[in-house]
Amino acid sequence: MSGFLSPEAWTVAALSLKVSMVATLFTVPIATGIAYFLATRRFPGWHILNGLCHLPLVMPPVITGYLLLLGFRPDGIFGRVFEQAFGIGFAFQWTGAALAASVMAFPLVMRPIRLAFESQDREVLETAKTLGAGRLIAFATISLPLALPGILAGAVLGFAKALGEFGATITFVSNIPGETQTLALAVYSLLQSPSGDREALTLIIIGVAISFVAIVLSEWISNRISMRRGGPDA
Amino acid sequence: MLEVKVKGARESFAYDFDFSADPGITALWGKSGAGKTTLLRLIAGLDQADKGVVSYSGDTWFDGARQINVTSAKRRIGYVPQRSALFAHLTVRRNLTYSNWAAGRKARVTLEEVSELLGITRLLERYPRNLSGGEKQRVALGRAMMSNPAILLLDEPFSGLDEQRIDEIAPHILALNRRIKVPILLVTHAVRDVVRLADSMIVIENGMSMDRGSLEQVLPRAGIAAGVDASVNGGLLTGKVVGYDKSYGLNQLEVAGQSLVVSGASIPRGATVRILVNASEVLVAKNSKIQTSARNHLSCNISRIVQLPENCVQLRLVCGDQNFVAKITRQALDELSLKKDGKCVAILKSVSLANQVFPR
């Protein structure tokens, strides 16, 4: 094993995968809920909520990272709540890296899901209701499964964003090897040192490989869903 | 019995419907934009009226004054929207049984019965994407039936389908109504759909329910009232198939005690058929002494003469207990000196009736 990858490279790769996967797993359900809410309701604060959701996409990542630091450091408003309620800390820990990745990925995950819900035929949902399905049942049996390709697309985008997240992470949880040093941060550090090029190249290949596997896997799943539903659009 | 008495306005469209529908198939007929779909959505509980009452045999579904509005999920209606709205991620089988597994409703009919009745048994494992338009409509009908509805609401069930597909679906709808005894409310703009299916009809115009009654009563007068060109609508005749002339391909019918022959494929002997008459294809003669290629001469009485624009007149012709309409020029009326309560002979071509015969 250690013939190709150094123990340090393994640590970085494993941490990156862990952070990206946890971030994706947490972001997708929350983004799905908010996307459904935004897609099916029109209320006075709609544009504000939608704007807030998109903020991490347009704000400089350093600012997002700094705001996270303010809110989630041990004496921050949210930091204290999480510490007391769940015993979870964020500052300079991998959980913080996952949080930063989640927040940065959120708009990318939410948008395709919202579009998937918005493009659903209203008549189909209404028909489900006339067949006796209440709001919750109709969501679980019709809206959600029909939005699955959109949710998958959002998850892949989110995973990619989490894997490559740099600015917010380094600002929020710094660049600590073995704790918060993800792939992007490690590559950056290695490129700073005169002898790090070879090691950096290894990490870059790992990054490309993970991204490639993720996109191929998602295409495969999406294809399976479409085949199950009777083949590609005629 | 369904009773509807609702008022309201949506955007620039105001409506005021007031009618009741008996068991059997009731057609809500009117031009597009007349408010037919709005009415159906109000009955289904998908939209809410400003005021009024919707009730079905004692159950109040909506009462503006008492602030009652039962949700669609609890109204027990089988709603079949215009574009069938099948669930794309579910097989035909799962679509059909949706109200059972998703809402816990128990159907009075089994999946097997419904699939056989609608001719979709071999489609059960397919996905909606691989169905034709006609098949989709039948699955949507079956899905509505399986939800054990008190009433079926069909919104333009034949829109976008060709005559062949319509011929394929119509008997299934009739069968549903007769065998499973579900009242059906049918929204359509096409006279042909009404004649194919309905027992009675209600004319919808500008957001209001106007004329209503049996087809025999309403159709002849609706042609003009609804602003529909009377030439497409001469009312209908009801007949019985008494035989088939194989060598000439003619169905022999008995209509009001007189005989009538119609071109086309053989219809089973004894079947009741409706014949939709095209008012401007009816020739009117003083007597039947003339020889023509037309096969049918019906002796009639003229019960009414109505002036139409552009020097035309509409003759209401009574033939036994049935009546229909002919549209002729005013000049013909004068030359033949046709008078109200006078006798005449209506001449109908077998060929022009060929596509106007609908088995009941």
Side-chain angles (χ1 to χ4, degrees), chain B residues 162-183:
Chain B
D162 55 38
E163 284 289 316
Q164 207 183 335
R165 293 274 165 272
I166 300 174
D167 283 339
E168 162 196 321
I169 301 171
H172 295 306
I173 298 179
L174 286 172
L176 283 182
N177 179 250
R178 286 177 191 161
R179 282 205 237 154
I180 308 173
K181 307 251 180 284
V182 183

Side-chain angles (χ1 to χ4, degrees), chain A residues 72-194:
Chain A
F72 286 91
R73 63 186 181 195
D75 58 341
I77 317 171
F78 305 113
R80 231 177 305 166
V81 172
F82 274 86
E83 182 67 58
Q84 281 165 8
F86 311 107
I88 300 174
F90 293 101
F92 308 112
Q93 296 174 38
W94 76 269
T95 45
L99 178 63
S102 302
V103 170
M104 292 301 290
F106 187 83
L108 291 168
V109 179
M110 197 273 279
R111 203 175 166 76
I113 303 178
R114 200 193 84 197
L115 293 176
F117 283 128
E118 278 174 354
S119 68
Q120 286 178 2
D121 193 344
R122 194 180 60 143
E123 234 172 31
V124 170
L125 283 172
E126 286 177 345
T127 308
K129 285 180 189 163
T130 64
L131 292 167
R135 191 186 290 274
L136 205 65
I137 301 275
F139 173 78
T141 57
I142 308 292
S143 299
L144 197 61
L146 282 177
L148 215 52
I151 294 172
L152 191 68
V156 171
L157 273 177
F159 180 79
K161 176 69 197 169
L163 194 66
E165 163 46 31
F166 182 85
T169 310
I170 202 167
T171 316
F172 179 30
V173 290
S174 185
N175 185 357
I176 305 162
E179 190 61 50
T180 64
Q181 191 178 61
T182 58
L183 216 116
L185 298 187
V187 169
Y188 169 77
S189 297
L190 286 167
L191 292 178
Q192 298 291 305
S193 80

Side-chain angles (χ1 to χ4, degrees), chain A residues 121-124 126-133 137-138 141-142 145-146 226 228-233, chain B residues 41 46 72-73 77 79 81 83 85-89 98-99 101-103 105 127 129-130 143-144 147:
Chain A
D121 193 344
R122 194 180 60 143
E123 234 172 31
V124 170
E126 286 177 345
T127 308
K129 285 180 189 163
T130 64
L131 292 167
I137 301 275
T141 57
I142 308 292
L146 282 177
S226 136
R228 256 190 63 94
R229 291 173 185 179
D233 277 306
Chain B
R41 292 178 60 85
L46 297 169
S72 299
I77 34 139
Y79 179 59
R83 286 169 293 135
L86 296 182
F87 306 134
H89 61 297
Y98 181 82
S99 69
W101 60 263
R105 287 201 196 165
Y127 281 88
R129 194 182 272 174
N130 300 331
R143 182 179 60 179
S147 73

